[in-house]
Amino acid sequence: MSAEQPVGDKPVNGSDMGSGIDKVDFVESNTVPQHDSLSRQLKNRHIAMISIGGVIGTGLFLSTANSLRHGGPVGLLLGYMAVGSICYSVMISLGEMVSYLPIPGGHIKLAERFVDPAFSFTMGWNYWYNWTIVLPAELSAAAVLIDFWDKKTSLNSAWVTICLIVVIAINFMGAGAYGEAEFVFASIKVITITGLIILGIILDLGGGPDHDRLGFRYWKNPGPFVQIFGITGAKGRFLGFWTVLTQAGFSFIGTEIVAIAAGEAKNPRRNLPKAIRRVYIRILLFYIGGVTIIGLLACLGSGTAAASPFVIAIKRSGIKALPQIINAALLTSAWSAASSDLYTSSRALYGLAIAGNAPVIFSRTLRNGLPVFNWFANMTSIAGLLTWFGISYTYIRFHAGMKAQGIDRQTLPFSSPLQPYAAWYAAIFCIVICVFNGWSVFLHGQWDTANFITSYFPVLLFPILYIGARYWKRVPPVEPSEMDFYTGLAEIEASTYDEPPPKNRAEAIWQWLVKLARKATMQARDVCGTD
């Protein structure tokens, strides 16, 4: 192969770039008619807030209490740091692909291009399966949060129904309405978690009404780690830390939703790279910063609204009205996450349909570009880690194809110098965590059939789906030299434009905030020496 060429110089099949999709025969039979395509309604601010605050739900605000109980404050922090590094590796892998090819179906369709149709089939159904189980989980959490005010748990089914109706209504109004709702919800979440971190620091330093300075008190007693199941020594501490990894995965899963939104993003070539570069804010500030404060406050709970580490710390310090406000913010968080869950599962089903892996009726859209869909749920968060594995492996193949065809990655809208090593790191550790996530059921006297099934059913389902799809489709993996990097590129490049000036004061303030964030990103990049 000759020296590396910039993207767009020459299509791999030798066709003229201006010929568009018509002269490219890649998965031609699966091309969706124009009237059944998604509409690009998501603006820059929508994509920005989806990437920063989207899908942050009960995993961070409530489930961290269980992680703290199992791993201790340091085990909690190390577990979230480990999963955060995997998440970042996945996102820069995904960002490089989806910024170049922001097509409907996101990583599901990209897997078809760069691996094989069977892998796309497996990725798509696993992803849809994942988000259909998270949806009822978030709705149930919303009902539990309402129980903070209304102790009549018999009404929980009514609260779930009301929340579900609102979530469905938001999604049926189209991607634009979803983007606006998520912008508001995500903004509330960002303000809430930022405020809780600041408040946590104040309380830890004795600034609360009780003036009790905690410092690192709970890192000393009961200690930085938990000897899980009473297992003594380093083994017990390590197993406690390992338990946190799976629970942390539940909190981080959903960061990749920006890929699903790529097919409906306005000006994707410009807006998606910006969103990917902001992911580190989500990881460092919200997750790492949040669990650090939780570890300092060292509040253990049972996973209910009243047992949120933040709520317990606030009540213990003597602040009376604030827990009510925080619980209301947590309720909007669960509501927002549920809306994102429904959005993601419907677009995953759409991506399956346009790839020929689901009934064609699911590729039909309404006049506003909205997919028609149904769903049912039965899944655990392990499917999310398997999705990350699939994204990482797809990128490894994408990278190999770029190299084989002499395409210069530096000409892409987004690229990272950490590749392909970051993708290999994420792929390997996602599998390792999945394989050993249910280790506790193998301890003497700890067998739990339900826990075993929820831990390992997705792990077994993934290869079964792939092997079955390979047998059904009988299409071999795509050779790197034959990968299609050009289908749909003309439409994507045509939708790229310079951002217009702000129309009003609100948009001007938003652009000012974005510029500040961009400046901070560049400064952090200069310090760290990364892209």
Side-chain angles (χ1 to χ4, degrees):
M1 179 61 72
S2 60
E4 289 191 344
Q5 62 182 13
V7 173
D9 280 9
K10 183 179 180 181
V12 293
N13 63 352
S15 65
D16 183 69
M17 175 61 74
S19 62
I21 298 176
D22 293 339
K23 291 187 178 181
V24 181
D25 55 8
F26 181 81
V27 294
E28 185 175 326
S29 61
N30 294 330
T31 302
V32 178
Q34 185 65 32
H35 67 278
D36 280 334
S37 61
L38 297 175
S39 300
R40 295 191 180 274
Q41 302 178 27
L42 297 178
K43 302 176 182 178
N44 179 27
R45 58 188 177 88
H46 298 154
I47 294 296
M49 292 309 295
I50 288 172
S51 66
I52 294 176
V55 200
I56 293 179
T58 55
L60 177 61
F61 290 119
L62 299 181
S63 298
T64 43
N66 291 325
S67 299
L68 180 62
R69 184 186 305 108
H70 292 142
V74 175
L76 171 69
L77 177 59
L78 293 178
Y80 269 73
M81 289 177 65
V83 177
S85 67
I86 295 173
C87 178
Y88 182 75
S89 299
V90 170
M91 288 306 297
I92 60 175
S93 302
L94 180 62
E96 192 165 316
M97 294 187 294
V98 80
S99 296
Y100 173 59
L101 287 172
I103 57 179
H107 51 275
I108 299 170
K109 284 292 292 180
L110 293 173
E112 183 179 46
R113 289 199 183 197
F114 305 124
V115 184
D116 60 33
F119 199 69
S120 175
F121 176 92
T122 306
M123 284 276 289
W125 282 112
N126 176 77
Y127 201 58
W128 177 81
Y129 195 33
N130 177 26
W131 288 105
T132 51
I133 186 56
V134 175
L135 172 62
E138 295 289 357
L139 291 173
S140 299
V144 171
L145 288 164
I146 294 174
D147 289 342
F148 184 79
W149 297 297
D150 184 2
K151 305 301 181 182
K152 296 179 181 179
T153 55
S154 59
L155 296 176
N156 278 355
S157 58
W159 299 130
V160 169
T161 302
I162 292 172
C163 292
L164 181 60
I165 290 173
V166 174
V167 166
I168 292 176
I170 291 173
N171 277 266
F172 263 102
M173 290 170 67
Y178 163 76
E180 291 294 344
E182 192 58 29
F183 179 80
V184 174
F185 284 142
S187 298
I188 294 174
K189 286 187 284 189
V190 168
I191 294 171
T192 300
I193 188 62
T194 304
L196 287 174
I197 290 174
I198 295 173
L199 178 61
I201 295 173
I202 294 173
L203 295 179
D204 183 70
L205 296 176
D210 60 354
H211 301 295
D212 181 17
R213 190 179 189 281
L214 297 175
F216 290 87
R217 178 189 303 171
Y218 297 108
W219 288 39
K220 299 176 182 178
N221 183 24
F225 293 93
V226 170
Q227 305 291 156
I228 194 168
F229 294 117
I231 301 174
T232 60
K235 181 179 179 181
R237 293 191 291 271
F238 175 78
L239 292 177
F241 154 77
W242 192 265
T243 302
V244 173
L245 296 181
T246 303
Q247 297 169 346
F250 179 77
S251 298
F252 278 100
I253 293 302
T255 311
E256 75 288 339
I257 191 178
V258 68
I260 291 294
E264 296 173 90
K266 292 184 177 181
N267 204 9
R269 279 289 185 88
R270 293 186 182 275
N271 292 335
L272 291 174
K274 297 175 185 177
I276 296 297
R277 291 187 178 100
R278 296 186 188 113
V279 167
Y280 84 95
I281 300 176
R282 176 191 182 119
I283 296 173
L284 291 179
L285 176 60
F286 301 153
Y287 289 102
I288 305 304
V291 299
T292 299
I293 297 303
I294 289 173
L296 293 175
L297 301 177
C299 299
L300 302 181
S302 60
T304 64
S308 167
F310 291 112
V311 173
I312 289 179
I314 293 169
K315 293 176 67 175
R316 184 185 58 196
S317 67
I319 304 176
K320 296 181 179 180
L322 196 54
Q324 310 288 335
I325 299 174
I326 297 302
N327 195 68
L330 298 186
L331 178 60
T332 64
S333 175
W335 219 329
S336 164
S339 179
S340 293
D341 299 340
L342 187 57
Y343 171 84
T344 306
S345 61
S346 66
R347 270 51 176 189
L349 195 56
Y350 176 86
L352 282 164
I354 63 175
N357 295 326
V360 70
I361 189 174
F362 295 118
S363 68
R364 299 298 301 271
T365 63
L366 303 180
R367 291 183 178 179
N368 60 354
L370 181 69
V372 180
F373 57 89
N374 285 307
W375 75 94
F376 58 91
N378 184 21
M379 181 47 201
T380 70
S381 62
I382 294 301
L385 291 172
L386 290 172
T387 293
W388 284 5
F389 160 76
I391 292 172
S392 301
Y393 182 66
T394 300
Y395 176 80
I396 292 169
R397 297 275 297 165
F398 172 89
H399 188 277
M402 284 266 171
K403 186 175 182 180
Q405 297 183 28
I407 299 174
D408 184 4
R409 291 175 48 249
Q410 298 303 314
T411 63
L412 300 180
F414 174 86
S415 63
S416 172
L418 300 177
Q419 298 292 11
Y421 311 107
W424 278 107
Y425 163 74
I428 291 172
F429 276 93
C430 281
I431 291 298
V432 171
I433 294 173
C434 287
V435 170
F436 294 102
N437 84 93
W439 62 270
S440 61
V441 301
F442 300 107
L443 295 177
H444 180 70
Q446 295 293 329
W447 176 260
D448 186 314
T449 302
N451 189 22
F452 175 81
I453 292 174
T454 56
S455 296
Y456 290 108
F457 176 72
V459 179
L460 295 175
L461 181 64
F462 197 91
I464 290 174
L465 285 174
Y466 180 71
I467 294 171
R470 279 293 300 271
Y471 179 79
W472 168 40
K473 293 180 175 294
R474 300 181 184 276
V475 177
V478 183
E479 293 294 330
S481 60
E482 299 176 358
M483 290 178 180
D484 177 15
F485 288 97
Y486 297 95
T487 297
L489 202 59
E491 183 271 337
I492 294 168
E493 292 180 336
S495 64
T496 302
Y497 55 86
D498 292 329
E499 294 291 337
K503 299 178 181 179
N504 50 53
R505 181 167 296 181
E507 290 189 3
I509 293 174
W510 169 252
Q511 288 194 9
W512 176 72
L513 291 173
V514 168
K515 288 180 180 179
L516 285 181
R518 188 179 305 156
K519 183 178 180 180
T521 301
M522 295 180 65
Q523 290 175 345
R525 193 185 312 156
D526 292 340
V527 172
C528 299
T530 59
D531 184 36

